[in-house]
């Protein structure tokens, strides 16, 4: 028996939804086949308009699942901060091998002398995709009785949780694998001098960091530091998240509660690690008619591995 929307009065066969159906059905894999949500996002935003999830979530129309995916993905994007701390590689394969090359050898050569052999040596870091996921459970009572769009909120929370899990894992691995470590000069307070010292140590290893990741507490410490206050007062560069820090070339600020309090990370993102994404976040709809429920599981296949520990600087006791 065909499912019928629980709510009446909403034309789910609107021209916009029909066009979306045509877009998703035209020689392209549907969501159940693992179509990446990033491929759908532009079409969804243009064609879904102001469609409310709570009005159609129990319809069999594929546009509903597409709208749910867009809702989850939109909430996830701002929390995917881990992807700003490493190189992201997408490939439809169970594993990838990331090569690591030893430095080449160059020397003075006498007249008629023999050029030195570079003796490049390669090793590989193998990264195998793992699956992460979660699910939202929506009840018929929720759809009928909610006085506000609680379903939108629930789906957004699922998206945020998925992204925070990924970012939290990447940050924890960066902290664990950091090859250059130092303690803050003043226990319990991060200062500009700590950042400058770590930048110097990393640059001495030819690993100039491009991201400073801190907890809001440590960011507040920096704002109280007289050295930073002078930068704010006299530098043309604004000292705020997303901006580079004056006098430290290319180093930008990333503020997140996912960075543990008391710790600051400085990362040369081109060298530090690789996030391997085999399949980005996708979603399905699973009906439980006996219990009057709809389950919306969202999953992804990915994994992270650190490649160069010297590209990660960790400041503790900040």
């Amino acid at each position: 028996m065909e499912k019928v929307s629980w709510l009446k009065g909403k034309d789910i066969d609107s021209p916009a939804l029909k066009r979306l159906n045509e877009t998703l059905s035209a020689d392209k894999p549907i969501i159940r086949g693992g179509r990446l949500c990033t491929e759908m996002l532009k079409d969804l935003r243009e064609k879904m308009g102001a469609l409310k999830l709570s009005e159609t979530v129990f319809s069999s129309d594929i546009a509903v699942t597409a709208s749910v995916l867009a809702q989850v993905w939109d909430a996830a994007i701002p929390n995917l901060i881990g992807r700003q701390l490493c190189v992201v590689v997408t490939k439809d394969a169970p594993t990838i091998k990331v090569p690591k090359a030893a430095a080449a050898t160059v020397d003075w050569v006498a007249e008629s002398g023999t050029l030195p052999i570079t003796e490049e040596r390669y090793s590989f870091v193998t990264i195998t995709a793992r699956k992460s996921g979660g699910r939202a459970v929506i009840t018929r009572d929720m759809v009928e009785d909610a006085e506000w769009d609680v379903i939108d909120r629930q789906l957004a929370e699922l998206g945020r949780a998925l992204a925070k899990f990924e970012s939290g894992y990447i940050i924890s691995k960066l902290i664990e694998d950091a090859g250059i470590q130092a303690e803050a000069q003043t226990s319990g307070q991060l200062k500009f001098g700590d950042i400058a010292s770590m930048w110097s140590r990393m640059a001495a290893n030819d690993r100039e960091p491009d991201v400073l990741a801190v907890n809001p507490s440590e960011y507040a410490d920096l704002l109280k530091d007289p050295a930073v206050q002078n930068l704010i007062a006299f530098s043309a560069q604004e000292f705020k998240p997303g901006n580079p820090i004056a006098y430290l070339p290319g180093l930008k600020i990333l503020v997140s509660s996912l960075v543990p309090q008391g710790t600051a990370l400085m990362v040369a993102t081109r060298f530090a690690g690789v996030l391997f994404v085999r399949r980005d976040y996708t979603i399905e709809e699973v009906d439980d008619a006996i219990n009057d429920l709809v389950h919306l599981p969202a999953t992804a296949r990915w994994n992270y591995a650190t490649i160069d520990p010297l590209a990660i600087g960790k400041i503790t006791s900040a």
Side-chain angles (χ1 to χ4, degrees):
M1 181 179 295
E2 183 179 356
K3 285 191 301 178
V4 179
S5 175
W6 279 349
L7 294 187
K8 307 298 182 181
K10 178 67 178 179
D11 180 15
I12 64 171
D13 292 322
S14 66
L17 296 184
K18 288 180 180 179
R19 288 196 301 271
L20 181 61
N21 272 330
E22 293 170 1
T23 299
L24 299 180
S25 303
D27 299 324
K28 296 179 181 179
I30 304 305
I31 300 167
R32 294 180 186 275
R35 188 178 180 216
L36 295 184
C37 46
T38 49
E39 298 173 9
M40 304 174 61
L41 201 51
K42 183 177 179 180
D43 285 345
L44 290 171
R45 284 173 173 159
E46 292 176 353
K47 296 185 170 92
M48 291 305 295
L51 176 67
K52 292 294 183 183
L53 295 176
S54 62
E55 296 175 334
T56 60
V57 74
F58 289 97
S59 165
S60 60
D61 199 305
I62 190 174
V64 176
T65 309
S67 180
V68 167
L69 178 61
Q71 183 79 4
V72 170
W73 189 243
D74 276 336
I77 288 174
N79 296 284
L80 291 172
I81 62 169
R83 301 191 183 194
Q84 301 179 48
L85 296 169
C86 60
V87 174
V88 180
V89 176
T90 58
K91 185 176 182 180
D92 187 13
T95 62
I96 61 170
K97 288 187 175 182
V98 181
K100 296 176 66 177
T105 301
V106 177
D107 205 346
W108 294 110
V109 181
E111 186 176 355
S112 301
T114 303
L115 295 175
I117 299 173
T118 61
E119 296 181 353
E120 273 196 317
R121 296 179 301 276
Y122 291 89
S123 60
F124 294 89
V125 175
T126 300
I127 309 177
T128 301
R130 302 172 65 186
K131 182 167 71 173
S132 67
R135 63 190 170 106
V137 178
I138 299 171
T139 68
R140 177 174 179 172
D141 293 347
M142 181 188 298
V143 174
E144 292 176 339
D145 298 342
E147 296 183 1
W148 57 288
D149 216 338
V150 66
I151 296 174
D152 279 7
R153 168 75 180 185
Q154 189 174 8
L155 294 172
E157 284 299 313
L158 174 61
R160 281 186 280 269
L162 292 167
K164 287 183 176 181
F165 178 81
E166 175 190 302
S167 295
Y169 180 79
I170 294 171
I171 290 171
S172 68
K173 292 296 291 181
L174 289 169
I175 292 173
E176 177 183 336
D177 299 335
I180 301 178
Q181 304 182 29
E183 290 191 358
Q185 299 171 10
T186 302
S187 180
Q189 186 175 5
L190 181 66
K191 294 187 175 181
F192 185 80
D194 300 317
I195 300 170
S197 297
M198 180 58 73
W199 184 91
S200 174
R201 291 183 61 185
M202 295 181 69
N205 288 279
D206 297 322
R207 302 290 188 270
E208 291 189 12
D210 54 314
V211 175
L212 166 68
V214 295
N215 185 278
S217 173
E218 279 60 57
Y219 179 64
D221 286 344
L222 289 174
L223 293 178
K224 299 172 187 175
D225 184 0
V228 172
Q229 290 177 351
N230 287 334
L231 287 180
I232 295 173
F234 301 110
S235 172
Q237 179 62 61
E238 291 186 88
F239 191 90
K240 65 180 184 180
N243 277 11
I245 301 176
Y247 306 110
L248 295 178
L251 185 64
K252 294 185 178 180
I253 309 169
L254 177 63
V255 180
S256 172
S257 59
L258 295 175
V259 180
Q261 190 170 345
T263 300
L265 279 173
M266 294 177 65
V267 185
T269 59
R270 292 182 300 159
F271 309 106
V274 171
L275 172 64
F276 165 41
V277 179
R278 181 177 188 185
R279 172 173 57 78
D280 226 325
Y281 297 105
T282 56
I283 198 164
E284 295 182 82
E285 178 184 338
V286 180
D287 297 320
D288 182 357
I290 294 177
N291 295 304
D292 242 2
L293 299 174
V294 170
H295 301 262
L296 297 166
T299 61
R301 298 280 304 282
W302 59 276
N303 204 352
Y304 166 84
T306 295
I307 305 300
D308 184 358
L310 291 179
I312 310 167
K314 178 174 66 174
I315 303 171
T316 57
S317 301

